[in-house]
Amino acid sequence: MFTITSRSATEALLHEKFQALLSELDTVGDNAQYGHVLDDMDDFLFTAIRKLGNETLQHKLQERINNTEKQPESRQCPHC
C-alpha cells in the first residue's frame, strides 16, 4: 500500500471517503445475488460517486468561504 500526502483538507477528505467507498463496493459485490454483481456494483458506484462529488463541492466551497472571510477586505466592519 502507498501513502498519499494531502495538500489540503479537501484532498484528505477525498482520500478517506474514497477508501471507504472501495470497502463498501467490496461489500456490495460480496452480497450481490448470483448474476447481479456487476449491476449491483454499478448502481452503488453511480449513487456513491454522485454523493461524493456533492460532498466534495460543498467542502471545497466552504474552504473558499472560510479563506475569503479571513481577508481583511471582506469585512464590512474593521472592528468586527
Side-chain angles (χ1 to χ4, degrees):
M1 181 166 236
F2 59 93
T3 304
I4 296 178
T5 303
S6 297
R7 293 178 295 203
S8 72
T10 300
E11 288 180 29
L13 175 71
L14 277 173
H15 181 69
E16 180 182 316
K17 295 231 179 221
F18 193 71
Q19 290 292 64
L21 186 140
L22 290 175
S23 177
E24 291 177 44
L25 183 61
D26 285 337
T27 301
V28 168
D30 292 344
N31 293 329
Q33 293 181 2
Y34 181 78
H36 293 274
V37 173
L38 186 59
D39 290 334
D40 288 358
M41 290 173 88
D42 183 58
D43 290 343
F44 170 77
L45 275 180
F46 181 77
T47 303
I49 293 294
R50 184 169 186 94
K51 181 180 175 185
L52 180 62
N54 285 336
E55 289 174 0
T56 303
L57 290 172
Q58 290 172 358
H59 195 268
K60 196 65 177 170
L61 181 59
Q62 189 61 52
E63 276 184 353
R64 293 180 66 100
I65 289 169
N66 292 344
N67 288 336
T68 300
E69 288 175 345
K70 290 178 186 176
Q71 298 174 359
E73 59 270 7
S74 68
R75 296 182 181 205
Q76 293 182 10
C77 174
H79 304 292
C80 296

